[in-house]
Amino acid sequence: MTDIEHSLPLGRRRHVVRLALFAAGLAVMFYLVAVARVIDVEGVRGVVAATGPAAPFAYVVASAVLGAVFVPGPLLAAGSGLLFGPLVGTFVTLGSAVGTAIITSFLGRRAGRESARGLLGPERAERIDAQIERRGLWAVVAQRFVPGISDALASYVFGAFGVPLWQMAVGALIGSAPRAFVYTALGASIGDLSAPLAYTAIAVWCATAIIGAFAAHRGYRRWRAPGTPPEPEAGDGRQPEVGK
């Protein structure tokens, strides 16, 4: 056994192993789907298109599941725009984003919630629960505005930390709306990227990225802000009382 295994109590070791296995499973799934591309997204799109009038609903379900296994969201949103156009496609993309958030946060909560709380300890876990109760919804919204972060991976982490499903659903609905329009509109404009719709989508993406960076910075500062002033320490300049 390693020194780390000797130094950890049995209960904490079990939590570490459980979280490590969960993270390893997500890493393998991410590699197979996002890197190796073992899922034929175009084939799925063809199957959905063949369902006729039910295609938008079928695509919401299929995209929600595919997003949960790390198929890139922009690729799914572009396919929605290609199939249904910018208007209907945006609502389809938004529905699938909410579905992915619910699936991933539920799985993250089931797989990692107990172990995350066990490693944090009761005091820290209660402190994080209080932060989630006050700011969990807006943390989800802010994450969706920040470019370059996998929504599925972030939702797994949110679930492991105990963010409620309703906050995930509402936060994904609000936070995913701008990018849902952007990527869906670009997919609908794939044949003519010089169209006004494509330029509008790019402008919205730039504005969203700027707002997201600002919100993430401000949210991090508020999260780190102490709730109570620190206790005075010895040698802080206060004179001891005499005669008591």
Side-chain angles (χ1 to χ4, degrees), residues 94 145 173-183 201 204-205 208:
L94 201 52
F145 273 72
L173 181 66
I174 298 172
S176 298
R179 282 194 293 167
F181 165 74
V182 167
Y183 295 124
V204 171
W205 185 90
T208 301

Side-chain angles (χ1 to χ4, degrees), residues 12 23 27 57 67 73 75 78 89 99 107 128 133 149 163 180 189 206 218-219 226 232 238:
R12 289 179 63 84
F57 303 101
L75 184 62
L107 294 177
I128 289 178
E133 184 177 353
I149 299 178
V163 176
S189 306
C206 293
R218 184 175 181 181
R238 296 185 182 180

Side-chain angles (χ1 to χ4, degrees), residues 8-15:
L8 287 175
L10 182 60
R12 289 179 63 84
R13 194 186 312 159
R14 178 174 61 85
H15 292 315

Side-chain angles (χ1 to χ4, degrees), residues 185-198:
L186 289 175
S189 306
I190 197 69
D192 184 11
L193 292 178
S194 63
L197 181 62

Side-chain angles (χ1 to χ4, degrees), residues 93-94 96-102 104-105 137-156 158 167-180 183 205 208-209 212:
T93 299
L94 201 52
S96 66
V98 173
T100 295
I102 293 174
T104 50
S105 61
L137 171 63
W138 300 112
V140 177
V141 173
Q143 178 272 312
R144 299 285 163 150
F145 273 72
V146 179
I149 299 178
S150 168
D151 291 343
L153 181 59
S155 296
Y156 280 117
F158 280 134
Q167 288 188 357
M168 291 300 307
V170 176
L173 181 66
I174 298 172
S176 298
R179 282 194 293 167
Y183 295 124
W205 185 90
T208 301

Side-chain angles (χ1 to χ4, degrees), residues 99-114:
T100 295
I102 293 174
I103 294 171
T104 50
S105 61
F106 174 79
L107 294 177
R109 190 182 186 93
R110 295 283 294 179
R113 171 69 167 156
E114 178 186 349

